[in-house]
Amino acid sequence: MRVFLIFFISILTLAIAFSQAVLKKETNLHTQYSIADKLFRKSENIKSTKNGSEALEEKINKQALTIFQKIIPDIERSGDDSLAFFCYFKTGILLHYFDSITLAKENYLKAIDLKDKIQSIEDSFLFQPLLFTGRIYFSLNQFDSAYIFFKKAELITEKYGTVLNEEQRLYNSLGNMYYETGNYRQAKNYFEKAILLLSKTYPDYKDFLINYKINIASSLLKLEKFSEANIIYESVLTSGINTNEILLNLGIINLQLGNLEKAIPYFNKVHYENNRTIALYNQIAKTYLKLLKIDSANRYLDLALEENEKWNAANKNIRHGITFQFLADKFIIEKNYKQAVDYYQRAILQFYPDFNETDIYKNPKTFTGVFSYINLFNTLTTKADAFENLYQQDKKQSSLDAALHAYRSAFLLADYVEKTYDSDEARLFLNKIKYKVHDRPIHISLQLYELTKNNIYLEDAYNFDQQNKASVLSLNVQESAIKSESSSNVALFEKENLIKNNITRLSLKAGQINDSVQLEKVKTNIRDYEIELGKLQEKINELPGYKAKKFAKSIPTVSQVQKILSKKTALLSYHLSENEMVILCITPDELSYTKQAIDSTFYTSIKKLKTSLNNYKGEEKYNADKTSTQLYNIIIKPILGKIKNAENLLIIPDDELNNIPFEAFNDENGNFVLGKFNVQYQYSTALLRDDIKSNTTNKTTLAMAPFASKGNDEFSQLLYSKNEIESLKGNILMDSAATKKNFLALAEKAGILHLATHTIVNDSIPEKSLIAFYPFTGLSPAENNLYVQEIYNLKLHATKLVILSACETGTGQLAKGEGLMSLARAFTYAGCPNIIGSLWKADDKSTAGIMQRFYKYYNNGINAATALQKAKLDYIQSPDIEKRFKSPNYWAHLVLTGVPENNTSSYVWIWIVGVITTLIITFIYFLKQKTGR
């Protein structure tokens, strides 16, 4: 027993000693951690102290790092996960400070992994490790990974009502992400938000402020708002902060504006000591290439390659891609196209990290993730151009095929990016980039078709043509239709619509504010809503069912279009270039085309006819017949042989052709196209697809005439608008009942909307275009008038026809490749497939007369296109109308844009009844013959 007691006491003594040792060690670890943490915090505030210096900051950081790295293994063994989390996190920050980014990333990731196991630590502590890890991935050009970590950090900010430490850096980082992917408007929003969140007490406040302002200016530069960008750069240049960056961008502005000799002095003042030297040498080389000083360009491109080897080694990165791109451009100047193609291929590998094909005949076929979209698109198209030039040298079909293949890849990318972007502004900007090259793939497709007679190339021409037709509008209609059909996620879609309405409301308010302080406040609110909308749309895009439908192929095949067309319908899609017009013709049996040489006189004639149609008032002789015939001979006559069996034309115009009604063209005998064909228009075949058609069974009508009895100081009385709508069945609202409030309450339930009113169309600022309603005195313009932005937000999927019986509702600012930014387009955007609008200032009486005749036919089941044609012909042929009022000015302004419909009218039933009656009579006759009666 005594032996056992001695043994027990010994064990207990050893246990106590061990516990004391462990406790002492843990105490020592905590002490060591406290010492390192104190140094860490001292370093953070060193610059704000009187004797602070960079050298002292570096010395203290080294001391802190040494201690943290020494105690981490023991802390790991101790099992103290909380202490280990903070150790790894702060070690990561210190390694990041010393540019050991690989080791820094490892420590951040270990901290993030540990946090998942620890419930006692607030999520807010996870924000910075996520943010800093994302920043490292971004610096390594691993945008997909960076984006994931930034978005996780962003989710944490949304959980807290207060601004987290370093939150402004998250917004700046996300701004950089949007910038690199070409969404410059959203990038600017995020940079501005970063400034708003930047506290004046933040260490290095001024440095960060200048940096964020430079980023805003860089976004403006990309948006081609050079003067605005220049003002910001000049304003911060005197600060002495980030001077190199400012000078570089001032040089780039001059380079973009073509002031090449002014750009070089700015570049020469820049002296980087980091990997930004690659960007500097690239820009200098680009300037010398434009000056055709090839030797100088070569020298700087070689320097860029050396710097990349020094800083990036074999890691893919955008700047290295730009160097390759400029090297390829140099070979183009030297007409060494094979070498140029090789270097464009190298650039592609840098811009799209997931693509690794060195074979110059291969291009990306599918796209995922986040990368340098715009750089990749530009390189694919310049590679295609190089192959086309190579074909001129070697005359090998393979070179021309390779050019087309590169264009296919480029436009697949554009389609992917368009669906990735979260705003129309970003999509329209992308369209401007697309438009610069949109003619080339169509030309190459037809060239290959003529060489081979292989229909696949003709289908290529059709696809490229449609990809350059109203893609932004088509995508929005498609998205809206998908949402309207979804029974789930309604709350998300409603929230999205609410944010859009708030942005519209504030935008309208901003247009009425003169006080600069108030205006800045409203702009800030708009920016915050745009950021919130972007976040919400990213969530919507990730909805499985929605994403699959949205990213599906938008443009129907030729065979799908042919199934939509009736036997008597031909679709004509026009494509304009500087010297040639291509007309693609689709009938139920054939896809064909014709080409017409054009020059500047063609565009002059279009402008002349448009002016004549707009300005003729019936008091003088109408003298546009000659111009109209000239255009008929170029636009219609060459295709007549292909459409000889057609009665209906579905026209998809291009650019300037949007301004004129084809039915007003007359042939050499003075016969209008209207007499031979009923004509309707469409923006793109993408809008012909079955899944974006509206409900065609809704027969309810909402008709409004706010100025039937009187006008006001701004708008005159529309005397005949009462006659135009009073006989219609449904909600017929005139004068004081025809308010904007009533329209908004009733419009989304109506099958037919008819607005006989005034409009204001602003070609310079399309968002200021409006439809006028009953003018309540004392109300603001936003309460009286329906602005185009508000129309975009309507949900008109139940509406099958909108009639805008008002001036210029079908015209507006021309966006190349997108069409006219008209009020009619806005109603298509809102979901209605068929719109009758006006191309110029309409005559009240003639418009009312035509619309009364239109309804006579339409209400009997004649489709809208045929009903409008018949109504116009009745007007022209009426003996009650003076000849001078029968010029196209009085009837051709009304045009129908929409989806072809078959006549499902009482006439069809009359025909069916007639056939049945004939069969019965024939049966009775033969029965009588058989019975001898």
Side-chain angles (χ1 to χ4, degrees):
M1 185 70 180
R2 186 177 176 185
V3 172
F4 175 77
L5 188 61
I6 293 169
F7 176 75
F8 177 76
I9 292 170
S10 299
I11 294 296
L12 184 63
T13 304
L14 286 170
I16 292 169
F18 179 76
S19 298
Q20 288 175 336
V22 169
L23 184 63
K24 184 177 180 182
K25 188 171 184 180
E26 285 183 357
T27 303
N28 184 51
L29 283 176
H30 279 273
T31 302
Q32 291 294 305
Y33 174 82
S34 296
I35 293 169
D37 187 53
K38 189 175 181 180
L39 290 167
F40 179 85
R41 295 183 186 282
K42 183 178 179 181
S43 171
E44 283 187 322
N45 300 313
I46 197 74
K47 287 185 180 177
S48 59
T49 62
K50 187 175 181 180
N51 298 317
S53 67
E54 286 188 15
L56 181 58
E57 181 184 17
E58 185 176 332
K59 180 181 177 182
I60 294 172
N61 277 335
K62 279 183 180 178
Q63 291 172 344
L65 179 60
T66 300
I67 298 172
F68 279 133
Q69 287 180 318
K70 181 180 178 181
I71 63 176
I72 277 177
D74 290 331
I75 290 175
E76 274 188 327
R77 284 190 288 272
S78 74
D80 190 337
D81 288 341
S82 295
L83 193 62
F85 168 81
F86 288 109
C87 248
Y88 279 125
F89 170 44
K90 290 172 183 177
T91 300
I93 291 176
L94 292 168
L95 287 166
H96 208 156
Y97 171 84
F98 287 111
D99 286 329
S100 299
I101 59 173
T102 302
L103 290 173
K105 182 182 71 173
E106 288 175 6
N107 279 270
Y108 290 144
L109 290 173
K110 285 178 180 178
I112 292 166
D113 287 341
L114 275 172
K115 172 61 186 73
D116 291 337
K117 304 174 187 176
I118 307 167
Q119 300 300 318
S120 59
I121 297 179
E122 278 283 324
D123 283 349
S124 57
F125 286 103
L126 190 57
F127 171 75
Q128 288 188 36
L130 290 169
L131 168 62
F132 298 155
T133 305
R135 287 172 63 83
I136 288 176
Y137 278 119
F138 183 83
S139 70
L140 294 171
N141 286 278
Q142 296 177 30
F143 290 170
D144 267 345
S145 298
Y147 189 72
I148 289 168
F149 282 95
F150 288 151
K151 282 298 170 180
K152 285 181 179 179
E154 190 176 51
L155 284 174
I156 290 174
T157 67
E158 292 171 4
K159 292 177 64 175
Y160 295 89
T162 57
V163 176
L164 300 180
N165 187 30
E166 304 282 9
E167 189 171 335
Q168 87 283 349
R169 295 183 79 173
L170 171 64
Y171 277 91
N172 182 63
S173 298
L174 283 166
N176 282 320
M177 289 289 297
Y178 285 116
Y179 180 89
E180 292 296 350
T181 56
N183 192 345
Y184 303 119
R185 168 68 180 265
Q186 192 70 308
K188 179 173 172 285
N189 282 335
Y190 272 79
F191 293 144
E192 288 175 348
K193 181 75 172 179
I195 288 178
L196 188 70
L197 295 176
L198 181 62
S199 169
K200 290 185 178 179
T201 61
Y202 187 81
D204 300 322
Y205 163 78
K206 192 174 180 181
D207 288 25
F208 279 88
L209 178 65
I210 299 298
N211 181 48
Y212 297 164
K213 285 185 176 182
I214 290 170
N215 288 345
I216 292 170
S218 297
S219 299
L220 290 168
L221 195 160
K222 288 291 187 180
L223 289 166
E224 298 178 0
K225 296 183 178 182
F226 300 118
S227 60
E228 292 179 47
N230 193 71
I231 288 169
I232 295 176
Y233 287 134
E234 293 288 358
S235 70
V236 296
L237 183 59
T238 55
S239 69
I241 299 169
N242 281 348
T243 303
N244 283 327
E245 197 70 18
I246 298 166
L247 291 170
L248 176 66
N249 282 294
L250 285 169
I252 291 172
I253 288 178
N254 281 284
L255 177 57
Q256 292 290 94
L257 292 173
N259 303 325
L260 305 179
E261 300 293 352
K262 289 184 179 179
I264 295 292
Y266 280 112
F267 294 144
N268 287 339
K269 293 176 185 176
V270 178
H271 300 287
Y272 284 121
E273 294 181 1
N274 53 33
N275 61 6
R276 291 289 294 165
T277 50
I278 306 167
L280 171 64
Y281 293 149
N282 281 338
Q283 293 303 322
I284 296 174
K286 182 179 179 180
T287 309
Y288 281 125
L289 284 174
K290 285 184 174 291
L291 289 167
L292 298 180
K293 295 182 178 180
I294 306 302
D295 288 344
S296 298
N298 258 332
R299 185 169 76 255
Y300 283 98
L301 289 169
D302 286 342
L303 286 171
L305 292 172
E306 289 174 14
E307 288 295 305
N308 184 73
E309 181 65 28
K310 173 182 173 183
W311 296 101
N312 299 311
N315 294 322
K316 290 185 176 184
N317 65 90
I318 293 170
R319 291 171 189 150
H320 196 36
I322 291 171
T323 305
F324 285 142
Q325 193 178 26
F326 292 162
L327 278 164
D329 291 345
K330 182 203 72 165
F331 287 119
I332 291 288
I333 294 169
E334 296 172 342
K335 301 192 185 311
N336 187 346
Y337 302 118
K338 191 70 180 287
Q339 195 77 351
V341 167
D342 179 64
Y343 275 90
Y344 285 134
Q345 190 72 13
R346 297 186 194 192
I348 289 168
L349 299 178
Q350 300 296 316
F351 295 141
Y352 190 24
D354 289 346
F355 183 70
N356 296 299
E357 290 284 357
T358 57
D359 185 343
I360 60 173
Y361 293 97
K362 293 185 178 179
N363 303 289
K365 294 179 181 178
T366 57
F367 300 94
T368 56
V370 184
F371 50 91
S372 186
Y373 302 146
I374 304 302
N375 280 319
L376 180 58
F377 179 85
N378 288 335
T379 305
L380 284 166
T381 56
T382 47
K383 176 187 170 184
D385 191 48
F387 264 122
E388 189 181 4
N389 281 311
L390 183 60
Y391 170 75
Q392 300 303 323
Q393 285 183 348
D394 64 19
K395 299 301 178 186
K396 293 179 181 177
Q397 184 189 322
S398 59
S399 296
L400 211 51
D401 269 316
L404 190 62
H405 194 274
Y407 274 124
R408 287 195 195 113
S409 179
F411 279 82
L412 281 172
L413 169 63
D415 183 64
Y416 168 77
V417 176
E418 213 160 44
K419 290 171 179 175
T420 303
Y421 282 169
D422 53 21
S423 71
D424 282 356
E425 289 83 1
R427 290 167 176 171
L428 286 168
F429 187 78
L430 175 65
N431 262 10
K432 285 176 68 176
I433 295 169
K434 274 197 324 184
Y435 189 82
K436 292 175 183 176
V437 297
H438 79 298
D439 179 58
R440 302 310 307 153
I442 297 172
H443 172 79
I444 293 170
S445 298
L446 294 178
Q447 195 174 357
L448 280 163
Y449 175 74
E450 288 161 5
L451 282 171
T452 66
K453 300 304 177 187
N454 187 335
N455 277 336
I456 192 171
Y457 295 120
L458 205 49
E459 294 236 9
D460 275 325
Y462 156 78
N463 275 303
F464 283 120
D465 176 52
Q466 294 308 306
Q467 284 172 336
N468 288 290
K469 296 281 176 63
S471 59
V472 174
L473 173 62
S474 302
L475 179 56
N476 277 288
V477 172
Q478 179 186 349
E479 288 177 350
S480 185
I482 296 169
K483 291 169 188 174
S484 70
E485 293 166 1
S486 174
S487 56
S488 57
N489 304 300
V490 172
L492 271 181
F493 300 146
E494 287 179 349
K495 185 177 180 182
E496 178 192 34
N497 200 48
L498 178 64
I499 295 172
K500 286 182 177 179
N501 284 326
N502 284 333
I503 292 171
T504 298
R505 174 179 55 80
L506 289 169
S507 297
L508 296 175
K509 185 178 179 181
Q512 301 162 32
I513 294 175
N514 295 319
D515 181 82
S516 60
V517 176
Q518 274 189 306
L519 182 61
E520 192 56 39
K521 186 176 179 181
V522 170
K523 285 182 176 180
T524 297
N525 288 336
I526 291 171
R527 184 200 58 234
D528 288 347
Y529 275 125
E530 286 180 345
I531 290 173
E532 186 181 356
L533 180 62
K535 293 177 185 178
L536 184 63
Q537 287 174 333
E538 285 171 357
K539 291 178 183 177
I540 292 172
N541 280 340
E542 291 306 314
L543 298 174
Y546 177 82
K547 186 174 184 178
K549 290 181 179 179
K550 177 179 174 178
F551 281 84
K553 190 175 185 294
S554 305
I555 297 166
T557 64
V558 171
S559 62
Q560 288 172 325
V561 173
Q562 287 171 326
K563 290 175 184 176
I564 294 169
L565 302 179
S566 70
K567 288 184 178 180
K568 295 292 185 181
T569 301
L571 183 150
L572 303 179
S573 184
Y574 288 78
H575 171 75
L576 298 178
S577 63
E578 187 177 351
N579 301 312
E580 187 177 72
M581 178 176 66
V582 174
I583 311 171
L584 290 165
C585 176
I586 302 177
T587 63
D589 306 314
E590 185 184 19
L591 168 63
S592 59
Y593 74 99
T594 185
K595 293 193 289 190
Q596 283 291 112
I598 57 174
D599 56 23
S600 60
T601 60
F602 172 76
Y603 293 98
T604 303
S605 295
I606 290 175
K607 188 175 181 181
K608 184 178 178 181
L609 179 61
K610 178 187 174 184
T611 302
S612 297
L613 289 169
N614 275 259
N615 295 338
Y616 175 67
K617 300 301 177 188
E619 289 88 10
E620 69 276 353
K621 180 177 173 58
Y622 178 74
N623 59 4
D625 290 338
K626 186 177 178 182
T627 304
S628 178
T629 303
Q630 288 172 345
L631 289 171
Y632 171 87
N633 289 334
I634 299 172
I635 294 172
I636 299 293
K637 190 174 181 179
I639 204 72
L640 282 178
K642 306 286 186 183
I643 58 174
K644 56 181 179 292
N645 297 322
E647 294 176 359
N648 319 304
L649 296 184
L650 179 60
I651 305 291
I652 301 179
D654 191 27
D655 294 342
E656 284 80 3
L657 290 175
N658 283 280
N659 289 306
I660 50 176
F662 285 38
E663 53 265 60
F665 295 147
N666 52 261
D667 62 20
E668 295 88 342
N669 300 317
N671 299 314
F672 291 115
V673 168
L674 178 74
K676 185 171 177 59
F677 303 103
N678 84 54
V679 180
Q680 72 180 98
Y681 302 85
Q682 189 50 274
Y683 299 99
S684 163
T685 58
L687 291 167
L688 299 178
R689 291 165 46 242
D690 291 335
D691 60 334
I692 55 175
K693 289 183 183 179
S694 74
N695 177 4
T696 57
T697 60
N698 188 353
K699 303 294 184 183
T700 59
T701 298
L702 171 63
M704 306 184 82
F707 301 95
S709 299
K710 63 178 181 179
N712 59 17
D713 293 340
E714 191 171 4
F715 299 112
S716 62
Q717 179 187 359
L718 294 172
L719 183 63
Y720 294 94
S721 61
K722 178 181 178 181
N723 301 343
E724 189 173 329
I725 69 168
E726 64 182 349
S727 62
L728 301 177
K729 294 178 181 179
N731 288 314
I732 312 303
L733 307 179
M734 289 187 270
D735 297 323
S736 60
T739 62
K740 176 182 176 180
K741 182 179 178 181
N742 284 340
F743 173 82
L744 292 175
L746 299 169
E748 294 182 358
K749 300 171 186 175
I752 299 172
L753 294 175
H754 187 125
L755 300 178
T757 183
H758 285 290
T759 62
I760 293 177
V761 175
N762 192 317
D763 286 347
S764 302
I765 311 173
E767 57 267 27
K768 289 191 175 182
S769 297
L770 60 87
I771 296 174
F773 286 87
Y774 181 77
F776 284 106
T777 54
L779 294 183
S780 70
E783 292 171 292
N784 268 353
N785 306 314
L786 184 70
Y787 287 83
V788 69
Q789 291 166 284
E790 295 175 286
I791 301 171
Y792 287 145
N793 295 338
L794 294 174
K795 303 299 175 190
L796 299 180
H797 306 100
T799 307
K800 68 173 183 176
L801 176 65
V802 171
I803 297 168
L804 302 174
S805 183
C807 299
E808 301 180 305
T809 52
T811 190
Q813 185 186 75
L814 176 63
K816 295 282 189 177
E818 191 63 25
L820 298 172
M821 299 290 104
S822 65
L823 291 163
R825 178 184 182 274
F827 279 96
T828 302
Y829 189 110
C832 178
N834 300 300
I835 321 288
I836 293 177
S838 174
L839 288 176
W840 55 81
K841 292 186 183 297
D843 175 71
D844 179 26
K845 184 177 180 180
S846 64
T847 300
I850 292 170
M851 291 317 304
Q852 285 174 309
R853 290 172 171 87
F854 167 82
Y855 278 114
K856 181 184 74 172
Y857 294 110
Y858 189 67
N859 289 336
N860 279 322
I862 297 290
N863 67 56
T866 306
L868 187 59
Q869 179 200 26
K870 288 180 175 293
K872 290 176 178 179
L873 287 172
D874 284 356
Y875 175 84
I876 294 170
Q877 294 162 5
S878 172
D880 300 327
I881 297 170
E882 292 181 53
K883 184 178 179 181
R884 65 193 176 109
F885 295 123
K886 293 182 179 181
S887 80
N889 175 269
Y890 288 87
W891 54 263
H893 61 291
L894 291 169
V895 294
L896 170 66
T897 301
V899 179
E901 299 174 286
N902 292 322
N903 292 321
T904 57
S905 65
S906 55
Y907 290 114
V908 174
W909 286 107
I910 290 169
W911 180 83
I912 293 170
V913 170
V915 169
I916 293 170
T917 303
T918 302
L919 290 171
I920 292 171
I921 292 170
T922 303
F923 175 75
I924 293 170
Y925 172 77
F926 280 110
L927 190 63
K928 284 181 178 181
Q929 290 286 90
K930 189 173 181 180
T931 58
R933 293 182 182 178

Short mmCIF file of all heavy atoms in Angstrom, two decimals, residues 693-716:
data_model
loop_
_atom_site.label_atom_id
_atom_site.label_comp_id
_atom_site.label_asym_id
_atom_site.label_seq_id
_atom_site.Cartn_x
_atom_site.Cartn_y
_atom_site.Cartn_z
N LYS A 693 -42.79 35.38 -77.39
CA LYS A 693 -44.04 35.97 -77.86
C LYS A 693 -44.96 36.21 -76.67
O LYS A 693 -44.98 35.46 -75.71
CB LYS A 693 -44.74 35.05 -78.87
CG LYS A 693 -44.03 34.96 -80.22
CD LYS A 693 -44.83 34.09 -81.17
CE LYS A 693 -44.11 33.92 -82.49
NZ LYS A 693 -44.86 33.05 -83.41
N SER A 694 -45.79 37.24 -76.77
CA SER A 694 -46.69 37.53 -75.66
C SER A 694 -47.99 36.76 -75.79
O SER A 694 -48.23 36.06 -76.77
CB SER A 694 -47.00 39.04 -75.64
OG SER A 694 -47.89 39.35 -76.69
N ASN A 695 -48.82 36.91 -74.79
CA ASN A 695 -50.14 36.28 -74.79
C ASN A 695 -50.99 36.91 -75.90
O ASN A 695 -51.22 38.12 -75.90
CB ASN A 695 -50.78 36.51 -73.41
CG ASN A 695 -52.18 35.96 -73.33
OD1 ASN A 695 -52.67 35.33 -74.26
ND2 ASN A 695 -52.81 36.20 -72.20
N THR A 696 -51.46 36.11 -76.85
CA THR A 696 -52.23 36.65 -77.98
C THR A 696 -53.73 36.49 -77.77
O THR A 696 -54.51 36.81 -78.65
CB THR A 696 -51.83 35.95 -79.28
OG1 THR A 696 -52.02 34.54 -79.12
CG2 THR A 696 -50.38 36.22 -79.62
N THR A 697 -54.13 35.99 -76.59
CA THR A 697 -55.56 35.78 -76.36
C THR A 697 -56.22 36.95 -75.63
O THR A 697 -57.44 37.01 -75.53
CB THR A 697 -55.77 34.50 -75.53
OG1 THR A 697 -55.11 34.64 -74.27
CG2 THR A 697 -55.21 33.29 -76.26
N ASN A 698 -55.42 37.85 -75.10
CA ASN A 698 -55.96 38.98 -74.35
C ASN A 698 -56.55 40.02 -75.31
O ASN A 698 -55.83 40.63 -76.09
CB ASN A 698 -54.84 39.60 -73.50
CG ASN A 698 -55.37 40.66 -72.54
OD1 ASN A 698 -56.53 41.05 -72.57
ND2 ASN A 698 -54.49 41.14 -71.69
N LYS A 699 -57.85 40.24 -75.25
CA LYS A 699 -58.53 41.13 -76.19
C LYS A 699 -58.89 42.48 -75.58
O LYS A 699 -59.45 43.34 -76.26
CB LYS A 699 -59.83 40.47 -76.70
CG LYS A 699 -59.62 39.10 -77.35
CD LYS A 699 -58.84 39.19 -78.64
CE LYS A 699 -58.73 37.82 -79.31
NZ LYS A 699 -57.91 37.87 -80.53
N THR A 700 -58.59 42.70 -74.29
CA THR A 700 -58.97 43.96 -73.65
C THR A 700 -58.19 45.12 -74.24
O THR A 700 -57.02 45.00 -74.58
CB THR A 700 -58.72 43.89 -72.14
OG1 THR A 700 -57.33 43.63 -71.91
CG2 THR A 700 -59.55 42.80 -71.50
N THR A 701 -58.85 46.28 -74.32
CA THR A 701 -58.25 47.46 -74.93
C THR A 701 -58.18 48.61 -73.93
O THR A 701 -59.14 48.84 -73.18
CB THR A 701 -59.06 47.92 -76.17
OG1 THR A 701 -59.04 46.88 -77.14
CG2 THR A 701 -58.48 49.18 -76.78
N LEU A 702 -57.05 49.28 -73.91
CA LEU A 702 -56.91 50.54 -73.18
C LEU A 702 -56.52 51.60 -74.18
O LEU A 702 -55.44 51.51 -74.79
CB LEU A 702 -55.85 50.43 -72.08
CG LEU A 702 -55.46 51.75 -71.39
CD1 LEU A 702 -56.66 52.35 -70.66
CD2 LEU A 702 -54.30 51.53 -70.42
N ALA A 703 -57.41 52.58 -74.40
CA ALA A 703 -57.14 53.66 -75.36
C ALA A 703 -57.23 55.00 -74.63
O ALA A 703 -58.14 55.22 -73.83
CB ALA A 703 -58.13 53.61 -76.52
N MET A 704 -56.27 55.89 -74.93
CA MET A 704 -56.21 57.16 -74.21
C MET A 704 -55.95 58.31 -75.18
O MET A 704 -55.12 58.20 -76.09
CB MET A 704 -55.11 57.11 -73.14
CG MET A 704 -55.24 55.93 -72.19
SD MET A 704 -54.02 55.92 -70.86
CE MET A 704 -54.78 57.04 -69.70
N ALA A 705 -56.67 59.42 -74.97
CA ALA A 705 -56.51 60.62 -75.79
C ALA A 705 -56.52 61.83 -74.86
O ALA A 705 -57.58 62.43 -74.61
CB ALA A 705 -57.61 60.72 -76.83
N PRO A 706 -55.38 62.22 -74.29
CA PRO A 706 -55.34 63.29 -73.28
C PRO A 706 -55.67 64.68 -73.83
O PRO A 706 -56.02 65.58 -73.05
CB PRO A 706 -53.89 63.25 -72.78
CG PRO A 706 -53.33 61.96 -73.27
CD PRO A 706 -54.07 61.62 -74.50
N PHE A 707 -55.52 64.87 -75.15
CA PHE A 707 -55.69 66.21 -75.70
C PHE A 707 -56.84 66.26 -76.70
O PHE A 707 -56.82 67.01 -77.67
CB PHE A 707 -54.38 66.65 -76.37
CG PHE A 707 -53.21 66.66 -75.42
CD1 PHE A 707 -52.37 65.56 -75.35
CD2 PHE A 707 -52.98 67.74 -74.60
CE1 PHE A 707 -51.30 65.55 -74.46
CE2 PHE A 707 -51.92 67.74 -73.70
CZ PHE A 707 -51.07 66.64 -73.63
N ALA A 708 -57.86 65.47 -76.45
CA ALA A 708 -59.00 65.40 -77.38
C ALA A 708 -59.80 66.69 -77.40
O ALA A 708 -60.26 67.12 -78.46
CB ALA A 708 -59.90 64.22 -77.00
N SER A 709 -59.95 67.34 -76.24
CA SER A 709 -60.81 68.53 -76.16
C SER A 709 -60.03 69.83 -76.10
O SER A 709 -60.52 70.88 -76.54
CB SER A 709 -61.72 68.44 -74.92
OG SER A 709 -62.54 67.30 -75.02
N LYS A 710 -58.85 69.78 -75.54
CA LYS A 710 -58.06 71.02 -75.46
C LYS A 710 -56.59 70.69 -75.27
O LYS A 710 -56.22 69.59 -74.87
CB LYS A 710 -58.55 71.90 -74.33
CG LYS A 710 -58.40 71.30 -72.94
CD LYS A 710 -58.89 72.28 -71.87
CE LYS A 710 -58.70 71.67 -70.47
NZ LYS A 710 -59.14 72.62 -69.41
N GLY A 711 -55.77 71.70 -75.54
CA GLY A 711 -54.34 71.56 -75.32
C GLY A 711 -53.89 72.47 -74.20
O GLY A 711 -54.68 72.92 -73.39
N ASN A 712 -52.58 72.73 -74.16
CA ASN A 712 -52.05 73.67 -73.18
C ASN A 712 -50.92 74.46 -73.83
O ASN A 712 -50.73 74.42 -75.04
CB ASN A 712 -51.59 72.94 -71.92
CG ASN A 712 -50.50 71.91 -72.21
OD1 ASN A 712 -49.86 71.93 -73.26
ND2 ASN A 712 -50.30 71.00 -71.26
N ASP A 713 -50.12 75.15 -73.02
CA ASP A 713 -49.05 75.97 -73.57
C ASP A 713 -48.01 75.16 -74.31
O ASP A 713 -47.37 75.64 -75.26
CB ASP A 713 -48.36 76.75 -72.44
CG ASP A 713 -49.27 77.80 -71.83
OD1 ASP A 713 -50.26 78.17 -72.51
OD2 ASP A 713 -49.03 78.21 -70.68
N GLU A 714 -47.83 73.91 -73.91
CA GLU A 714 -46.79 73.08 -74.51
C GLU A 714 -47.31 72.19 -75.63
O GLU A 714 -46.64 71.98 -76.64
CB GLU A 714 -46.15 72.20 -73.43
CG GLU A 714 -44.89 71.50 -73.89
CD GLU A 714 -44.17 70.81 -72.74
OE1 GLU A 714 -44.68 70.82 -71.61
OE2 GLU A 714 -43.08 70.27 -72.99
N PHE A 715 -48.54 71.68 -75.46
CA PHE A 715 -49.09 70.73 -76.43
C PHE A 715 -50.43 71.22 -76.96
O PHE A 715 -51.32 71.60 -76.18
CB PHE A 715 -49.27 69.34 -75.78
CG PHE A 715 -48.01 68.73 -75.27
CD1 PHE A 715 -47.81 68.57 -73.91
CD2 PHE A 715 -47.00 68.34 -76.15
CE1 PHE A 715 -46.63 68.00 -73.43
CE2 PHE A 715 -45.84 67.76 -75.68
CZ PHE A 715 -45.64 67.60 -74.32
N SER A 716 -50.60 71.15 -78.26
CA SER A 716 -51.84 71.60 -78.88
C SER A 716 -52.93 70.55 -78.77
O SER A 716 -52.66 69.38 -78.49
CB SER A 716 -51.59 71.91 -80.36
OG SER A 716 -51.19 70.73 -81.04
#
